Amino acid sequence: MAMLEVKDLQVYYGLIQAIKGVSFEVNQGEVIALIGANGAGKTTILHTITGLIQPKAGSVIFEGKDITKVPGHKIVSMGMAHVPEGRRVFANLSVYQNLKMGAYIQKDKKVIGETLEMIYKHFPRLEERKNQLAGTLSGGEQQMLAMGRALMSTPKMILMDEPSMGLSPLLVKEVFSIIEYCHESGITILLVEQNAKMALGIADRAYVLETGNITMSGNAAEMLENEDVKKAYLGV
Amino acid sequence: MSFITYVISGISLGSVYAIIALGYSMVYGIAKMLNFAHGDVIMVGGFVVYSLTSSMGMPPIVAVVCSMIFCTILGVAIERIAYRPLRNAASSLAVLITAIGISYFLQNIALIIYGSSPKIFSSVITIPPLKLADGALTISGETVVTIAACIVIMVGLTLFINKTKAGQAMLAVSEDRGAASLMGINVNGTIALTFAIGSALAAVAGVLLCSAYPSLSPYTGAMPGIKAFVAAVFGGIGSIPGALIGGILLGLIEALSKAYISFQLSDAIVFAALIVVLLVRPTGILGRQIQEKV
């Protein structure tokens, strides 16, 4: 059974249909890439999954439970975290406060302490800057903070929205190695990216989204070789 | 000695403004709206105490608690019925206009029930005045209680925001509603809680205000409401210490200009001071300079 199943999702902004009946699934332990151009609807799909937007039709099923109508704030405690586009760290709170906010749903202080330690181990930069305001971090550090914050909820699955956006090639590599680390520690990942090359390089399977429709899907490695994908998304 | 008396009365008046300004400031910071009906909740708080003590003979302290509960429910109900449906409206003007509508609604309900002639509000504060410097300086019980209440509320709220989970949720919601929701924070619940706290404080402010200036009419809340709004902007809207500083400063400016410049012009001087502050520091005294890195 798929961990996350999106069925015939339709989302409107006013009268404009942004998502025109999208279906896909993510299995436990997989890294799934959702690639597509600007405005294809990638972010909209993630926002709909985590309840920030309500779809007009279709359903989102997470671990066998229909979460389409579940209010957004209840989804994270079911084990799904979301690293939003543009990082959206709490700029006027310290790095430490941001991480604590990520563990908002976690009641066990011991678990919070252990997760925090684990995150500091993997993101030593965050520990160095734990008392600094998040708004004063560099873009790469903010991305790490956003990822660390999502990990603080000890999720089973993470949705990542354009984690490489606006970062230098070196930092993009660092971010992707963190995604790999999450994957290795057993977290299922749905990755939305414009950087198709990096995303396909890390993913098991991929879906291509074009103006609200999925136009292609399949094995990520094969897709890297696909002529259409190459032309449209890899700039070859 | 009279100067000190004026300063003390300014601080006392300022403390009331600060308590009201807190409500404005918290709601603005967290719900991102100006609740112009906030001043009228003060008036409702005053009338509840007036009714319970003068017509039903309840002891003042019980009446004050009842009034706080009543205003809390009223504030949450206003938010739920009038403001929440407009939260995602295309224009933030819609909710502002609704707030003004609620303000008139509350005033007119009070007008129907109590009529337009001011009622005499008997002070609920019974502690004796404080005599200092061999009786040369007298501080009324109302002043003592008002200043004490303001300090207790400020300290309590600061602790609440920094030490409790609900307080942290407020911080998160004030920064980024969407991201807060992704953390598992119930945004609607947090905003409702903010209205509850702000309205309970408005009830306290109403009682303190009417105890110091013992007249109560349906329009009692309007002017203090606007001045507290000025105080909130003065100090930096969205900031709790800002509301305190803004409130006290406003009270001092008002009391001193009444005493030394002109009684009639005092309000004009208050608003002129606001204009000057905003020209020099557009975000208020403690307001955050908008700094964001992308």
Side-chain angles (χ1 to χ4, degrees), chain B residues 167-192:
Chain B
Q168 292 292 300
M170 285 180 171
L171 281 180
V173 172
S174 78
E175 282 221 18
D176 187 331
R177 234 176 250 175
S181 166
L182 292 180
M183 301 299 109
I185 293 165
N186 181 347
V187 173
N188 281 334
T190 304
I191 292 177

Side-chain angles (χ1 to χ4, degrees), chain A residues 50 52 72-73 76 82 84 88 90-93 97 101-106 133 135-138 142 149, chain B residues 162 165-166 168-169 171-173 175-187 288 291-294:
Chain A
T50 41
L52 293 178
H73 66 271
V76 60
H82 182 160
R88 289 172 80 170
F90 300 110
N92 290 304
L93 302 185
Q97 282 176 305
M101 217 57 101
Y104 185 81
I105 49 147
Q106 181 61 261
L133 291 187
T136 64
L137 299 179
S138 73
Q142 288 193 7
R149 188 179 64 177
Chain B
N162 291 317
K165 248 185 144 158
Q168 292 292 300
L171 281 180
V173 172
E175 282 221 18
D176 187 331
R177 234 176 250 175
S181 166
L182 292 180
M183 301 299 109
I185 293 165
N186 181 347
V187 173
R288 281 184 183 139
Q291 43 137 339
E292 234 164 82
K293 213 165 179 177
V294 274

Side-chain angles (χ1 to χ4, degrees), chain B residues 95-186:
Chain B
V95 73
L96 185 73
I97 292 164
T98 307
I100 295 171
I102 295 288
S103 165
Y104 282 114
F105 176 77
L106 293 177
Q107 284 177 13
N108 284 287
I109 291 286
L111 209 51
I112 292 171
I113 301 175
Y114 297 99
S116 60
S117 57
K119 302 278 177 289
I120 308 232
F121 188 95
S122 49
S123 174
V124 297
I125 293 152
T126 45
I127 70 163
L130 212 60
K131 285 200 195 310
L132 295 176
D134 296 325
L137 186 63
T138 316
I139 304 173
S140 72
E142 282 82 7
T143 303
V144 174
V145 171
T146 302
I147 296 172
C150 180
I151 294 169
V152 168
I153 287 169
M154 290 293 159
V155 172
L157 258 187
T158 308
L159 287 176
F160 176 78
I161 300 265
N162 291 317
K163 300 286 175 206
T164 67
K165 248 185 144 158
Q168 292 292 300
M170 285 180 171
L171 281 180
V173 172
S174 78
E175 282 221 18
D176 187 331
R177 234 176 250 175
S181 166
L182 292 180
M183 301 299 109
I185 293 165
N186 181 347

